[in-house]
Amino acid sequence: MTSLLADIAVNAPVRNLFSYRVPAALAEKLRVGARVQAPFGRRSIVGVAVRLYQGDGSELKELRDCLDEAPLLDDQLLRLLRWAADYYHHPFGQVIKNALPGGLMRSSGQTGIATEYLYRRINRDICPAGRRQQQILSWIEQQGGAAAGQIRAEFPSPTTVLKRLVELGCLEQSEGERLRDPFLLEPVPSDKQLTLNDAQQQALEQMIDALSARRFQSFLLHGVTGSGKTEVYLRAVADCLQQGRQALILVPEISLTPQLVSRFRARFEPLGEQIATLHSGLSGGERYDAWRAISRGQVNIVIGARSAIFAPLPQLGLIIVDEEHDGSYKQGEGFRYHARDLALVRGQQQPCAVVLGSATPSLASSYRCEQGSCTLLLLPERVHAGALPAVELVDLRTEALRGVLAESLITAITTALEQRQQVLLLLNRRGFAPFLLCTDCGTSFHCPNCEITLTYHQRRRRMICHYCDYQDQVPDICPACRGESITPQGAGTERLEEDLAGLFPAARIARMDRDTTRTKGSHQRIVNGMMAEEVDILVGTQMIAKGHDFPNVALVGVLGADSLLNLPDFRCAERSFALLTQVAGRAGRSLGGGKVFIQTYHPEHFSLTCAATHDVEGFYQQELPFRRELGYPPCGHLVNLIFSGNNGDQVNNSATQLARRLQAVAGDVEILGPSPCPLTRLRGKYRYQILLKSPSRPPLRRLLFAVDNAAAELPRQVAIHIDIDPLDMF
DNA sequence: AGCACGCCGACT
DNA sequence: GTCGGCGTGCTC
């Protein structure tokens, strides 16, 4: 006896598919790519149908329901997800869950309408005692009521305080649909059509060639900052749309690159094109709306962050990955995929053109060009002919520091301010000071969950862990020696801001880091302040190096460049070089002749000297032999196995045992470790890692199945995470 | 992941 | 004697 059967990728961390009988009532409706509700053990879970076929299903259970009239995932997308599940060795159902807008794989089966609590001030005569309660309450009152999400954006973890305020009777709590506030209500910016220079024109022609042939081809668009990459993107997208096909643009983080979104809106909205954005700032409902609009074919341009690589565009013709070197394209937890790498795969499968753009291409992409699998397109000049800035490496071994600033940098800032030019200072460490120390007895303060010191935040009068967000009051007297000499050590952006205020009392100083850009629109406010020249000095973390273009910045200073070089990671030179080159490119964009000062104890290090001379090619030539010699990417391939658990010895023993088992079947694969992770203890868990290294991928892949087998015999309290092509080893 | 089953310590 | 700890196994 034969009946209709379905293979289901279920939302559970299991590697295999599960087969079910399709009841007659669903046979008409059910399609591959649709979600289903299925009995699973004693419970009922959501899954996606990935195969329908005839067979004998007498021993199988029946599907309970089909949740979608039209499939959520088309065949093309399922194929990509299948490939990704395979490559990243991650359960198919979990991969699908990552691709779909949030909530769609939850067992409750509800679709995208998300609700949250809304709060409103009532009973004005009741006044709470706590300072934090008062703060939050008066803020809510000022806003005329607020949603939980908005409050959370303003104050860290306010849930308990809110609960207390409701209990006291001065806040009213209600539940409502989460506010949808798409940026599409904002006015369309005006477009400026720019003429292309020769290099831009040539790059565009090669892209158009691939577009019209409708073949897969990947390009690395390597253009210095200000060389007009965006205009090339715009033209290529226009060509793609003209063919009746669609374009997908990936950016590291949308909230940091509103200028790119504006340019696209300015160019294409007047032509009647709808643009959708996909990013983490979207509420569940907004994301669901966008997703459905895209899959119905109503949207021809999608701009989004990492997960937008899974946007369900049915007629995809072009994928652009802007700032392709950016590490945020790699997801660091759970399903650890790399969106740029998947873009290349999706392009190949489609087939369609893929453009990777950067001023500082990743070694991986440069290497692909060298190997001939990617076409290099060079934009060597700045569009407005502004010369690249002169970079000076300030040797801290010979030059004195005043606070955190070298004398020569202070002089340069003074000059810039006198000439009414703006200054940008990069210090890649937020807070006031990286740790507090009792200078009487040497006690310092550590996070109870992580192996790291607590960062002192003066503004908030707290010590905070930058990894798990643990917070504590700063003690007045040392808990060990009862002394009163607890002093901040080292400097973060907060302290730099304060020092500058002392050195340049007349200057208007702003700070941009995670602490000052917590709330919606605050990042944009700081950017606007810079644009309007209401700010003389902008202090910030690497955030200031990304995306925006400040035309009146004449001087850039980099402090603490060495901390980037000293990370325990083979890619730290590449990352330093990219960051320094990016931030250096911020100087003198319209004026020409900007200056950059980089303070360092290693002025001879090639990632600094190459950044100083804007020598991307030179950096590549020096870094590659080192990677080749050690078999590191892009010359070899890595897999990181991360073991974690509450009991350090148990984690260590498990890792050791597994390493021994792997050793027996390693073949060509080098097995390094186990060793403690650079952050041995993180969020209360002890962590060890085993690094697998191999000149080719197939033996690595084979070894993963041995990992599965061996892992089944480890204690359950030890979790194993597999990171394919790890970007950083934290 | 859940949710069962199963086997050992402290309670009415 | 049982209530409940969490270690182990399975889900079509």
Side-chain angles (χ1 to χ4, degrees):
Chain A
M1 166 178 163
T2 164
S3 54
L4 184 60
L5 309 181
D7 281 354
I8 308 297
V10 297
N11 179 22
V14 286
R15 229 160 258 296
N16 44 329
L17 296 174
F18 288 76
S19 309
Y20 291 86
R21 239 172 326 119
V22 182
L26 297 180
E28 277 299 297
K29 190 180 167 192
L30 184 63
R31 296 274 180 284
V32 165
R35 288 175 307 151
V36 296
Q37 193 79 47
F40 197 65
R42 312 237 150 177
R43 62 217 167 95
S44 171
I45 57 161
V46 178
V48 168
V50 296
R51 190 165 80 97
L52 294 173
Y53 55 101
Q54 291 289 331
D56 171 32
S58 46
E59 287 150 51
L60 301 179
K61 290 189 183 174
E62 278 194 343
L63 289 178
R64 221 157 259 165
D65 202 3
C66 171
L67 301 175
D68 300 305
E69 295 294 329
L72 270 181
L73 300 162
D74 63 20
D75 289 347
Q76 285 278 24
L77 204 43
L78 271 175
R79 190 169 153 219
L80 177 69
L81 295 172
R82 162 115 256 171
W83 188 94
D86 218 44
Y87 182 81
Y88 290 106
H89 206 72
H90 201 73
F92 197 10
Q94 307 287 88
V95 168
I96 291 174
K97 188 183 177 174
N98 269 273
L100 290 175
L104 292 185
M105 292 288 274
R106 257 193 304 250
S107 345
S108 57
Q110 278 309 302
T111 49
I113 295 139
T115 60
E116 66 180 343
Y117 289 122
L118 307 173
Y119 295 93
R120 216 162 49 83
R121 173 89 215 238
I122 48 170
N123 283 338
R124 238 143 266 248
D125 30 300
I126 306 176
C127 192
R131 158 153 331 146
R132 210 166 120 79
Q133 296 180 6
Q134 287 167 9
Q135 265 177 12
I136 293 182
L137 191 61
S138 69
W139 185 82
I140 293 172
E141 190 173 0
Q142 232 175 58
Q143 305 283 309
Q150 295 168 285
I151 301 168
R152 195 159 295 118
E154 197 74 24
F155 305 92
S157 22
T159 326
T160 47
V161 176
L162 290 171
K163 205 170 135 209
R164 181 89 191 104
L165 290 169
V166 172
E167 277 166 19
L168 284 168
C170 40
L171 266 191
E172 180 196 67
Q173 187 183 54
S174 58
E175 206 170 331
E177 183 170 348
R178 206 179 284 173
L179 292 168
R180 299 188 182 197
D181 101 90
F183 77 108
L184 294 166
L185 300 175
E186 290 166 26
V188 182
S190 69
D191 186 29
K192 36 182 191 273
Q193 277 277 352
L194 306 165
T195 48
L196 301 182
N197 62 31
D198 284 353
Q200 286 173 309
Q201 189 63 43
Q202 277 176 32
L204 180 64
E205 273 163 22
Q206 294 216 48
M207 291 177 197
I208 288 179
D209 199 44
L211 281 165
S212 9
R214 297 182 173 237
R215 64 163 185 262
F216 164 69
Q217 189 174 355
S218 64
F219 300 93
L220 175 59
L221 183 62
H222 174 194
V224 299
T225 44
S227 62
K229 288 191 290 291
T230 309
E231 185 60 31
V232 178
Y233 297 158
L234 289 163
R235 303 284 181 110
V237 169
D239 189 82
C240 171
L241 296 185
Q242 243 164 33
Q243 292 187 10
R245 297 204 290 167
Q246 303 162 326
L248 171 60
I249 298 101
L250 300 186
V251 293
E253 206 189 319
I254 287 206
S255 60
L256 296 181
T257 50
Q259 284 167 5
L260 188 98
V261 178
S262 296
R263 297 270 310 267
F264 273 85
R265 293 185 57 208
R267 180 68 51 92
F268 294 107
E269 282 186 2
L271 306 176
E273 291 294 347
Q274 202 187 327
I275 297 173
T277 58
L278 290 171
H279 61 280
S280 58
L282 251 43
S283 72
E286 287 171 327
R287 198 184 296 241
Y288 180 72
D289 290 352
W291 177 274
R292 288 299 350 200
I294 294 165
S295 74
R296 278 195 297 263
Q298 293 166 350
V299 177
N300 290 325
I301 302 172
V302 174
I303 305 177
R306 188 203 306 143
S307 67
I309 188 55
F310 303 118
L313 289 160
Q315 299 291 331
L316 187 57
L318 172 65
I319 307 174
I320 293 169
V321 184
D322 192 32
E323 308 293 347
E324 64 87 21
H325 64 279
D326 197 292
S328 55
Y329 284 121
K330 176 87 197 265
Q331 176 140 37
E333 309 206 285
F335 170 36
R336 299 167 188 245
Y337 64 98
H338 199 306
R340 179 243 285 143
D341 296 349
L342 284 182
L344 293 168
V345 174
R346 192 170 179 182
Q348 223 157 359
Q349 291 183 346
Q350 200 71 26
C352 73
V354 180
V355 177
L356 313 178
S358 177
T360 52
S362 62
L363 229 63
S365 297
S366 301
Y367 189 70
R368 279 197 188 100
C369 291
E370 202 181 280
Q371 302 291 298
S373 68
C374 186
T375 308
L376 178 64
L377 304 171
L378 264 176
L379 303 181
E381 298 156 17
R382 283 185 156 188
V383 165
H384 297 295
L388 283 165
V391 179
E392 190 168 317
L393 298 176
V394 180
D395 188 348
L396 294 179
R397 294 170 305 191
T398 57
E399 192 174 329
L401 280 173
R402 206 191 311 169
V404 284
L405 296 166
E407 287 295 345
S408 58
L409 180 52
I410 294 176
T411 311
I413 295 173
T414 312
T415 314
L417 292 178
E418 276 166 12
Q419 296 175 357
R420 314 211 62 73
Q421 292 171 328
Q422 289 177 304
V423 177
L424 212 60
L425 293 178
L426 171 77
L427 176 55
N428 204 17
R429 196 189 294 131
R430 66 196 172 90
F432 187 86
F435 65 106
L436 289 166
L437 181 76
C438 170
T439 50
D440 290 341
C441 72
T443 297
S444 59
F445 299 86
H446 296 262
C447 176
N449 310 315
C450 310
E451 205 91 347
I452 203 143
T453 57
L454 294 166
T455 301
Y456 173 47
H457 285 245
Q458 190 174 58
R459 188 74 63 86
R460 288 197 261 165
R461 313 214 123 276
R462 317 211 98 203
M463 312 186 285
I464 301 174
C465 173
H466 283 182
Y467 289 92
C468 74
D469 210 38
Y470 169 88
Q471 308 197 2
D472 203 355
Q473 304 281 350
V474 181
D476 294 323
I477 50 171
C478 173
C481 74
R482 324 297 299 160
E484 292 179 25
S485 313
I486 295 175
T487 41
Q489 303 290 316
T493 48
E494 229 180 273
R495 181 177 224 164
L496 177 57
E497 190 185 14
E498 191 179 283
D499 284 5
L500 288 165
L503 285 166
F504 308 102
R508 296 161 298 175
I509 302 164
R511 171 161 62 96
M512 183 155 83
D513 54 29
R514 253 216 325 277
D515 299 309
T516 64
T517 54
R518 204 172 290 267
T519 63
K520 199 168 186 173
S522 54
H523 177 266
Q524 194 57 43
R525 263 197 301 285
I526 298 171
V527 171
N528 291 344
M530 277 297 280
M531 292 297 189
E533 299 190 29
E534 292 158 7
V535 172
D536 299 312
I537 306 177
L538 179 64
V539 170
T541 54
Q542 50 183 304
M543 214 179 262
I544 61 171
K546 291 188 179 178
H548 28 65
D549 175 2
F550 301 125
N552 196 37
V553 168
L555 174 65
V556 170
V558 182
L559 318 176
D562 295 340
S563 66
L564 298 164
L565 290 175
N566 292 325
L567 293 172
D569 190 331
F570 72 89
R571 243 181 278 255
C572 67
E574 182 178 355
R575 264 200 299 269
S576 311
F577 173 75
L579 179 61
L580 295 175
T581 308
Q582 297 273 345
V583 74
R586 303 288 135 209
R589 272 188 92 152
S590 68
L591 305 158
K595 281 214 110 185
V596 179
F597 284 71
I598 300 174
Q599 298 186 175
T600 177
Y601 288 96
H602 304 286
E604 73 293 339
H605 193 290
F606 70 96
S607 71
L608 299 184
T609 55
C610 290
T613 49
H614 313 280
D615 186 5
V616 175
E617 181 61 25
F619 174 78
Y620 177 78
Q621 294 303 342
Q622 291 194 61
E623 177 71 2
L624 197 66
F626 154 73
R627 301 280 180 95
R628 182 168 286 135
E629 192 174 323
L630 294 167
Y632 279 131
C635 309
H637 306 285
L638 296 178
V639 170
N640 199 17
L641 306 177
I642 303 146
F643 297 73
S644 66
N646 295 320
N647 180 333
D649 288 337
Q650 194 184 33
V651 175
N652 190 2
N653 292 339
S654 302
T656 309
Q657 192 189 324
L658 196 131
R660 210 171 311 140
R661 298 274 302 266
L662 291 182
Q663 210 64 257
V665 289
D668 252 3
V669 180
E670 228 182 304
I671 295 171
L672 305 162
S675 55
C677 292
L679 275 158
T680 314
R681 213 157 88 83
L682 184 67
R683 295 170 221 275
K685 304 265 188 219
Y686 290 88
R687 294 139 33 89
Y688 287 80
Q689 63 188 14
I690 297 174
L691 197 60
L692 310 180
K693 192 162 81 173
S694 168
S696 65
R697 292 190 193 276
L700 268 182
R701 282 190 51 73
R702 273 197 295 280
L703 209 53
L704 291 179
F705 294 95
V707 171
D708 284 344
N709 292 333
E713 284 163 40
L714 294 182
R716 274 253 289 245
Q717 301 93 301
V718 178
I720 302 187
H721 298 283
I722 299 177
D723 192 352
I724 310 286
D725 307 329
L727 257 200
D728 47 50
M729 319 281 219
F730 291 85

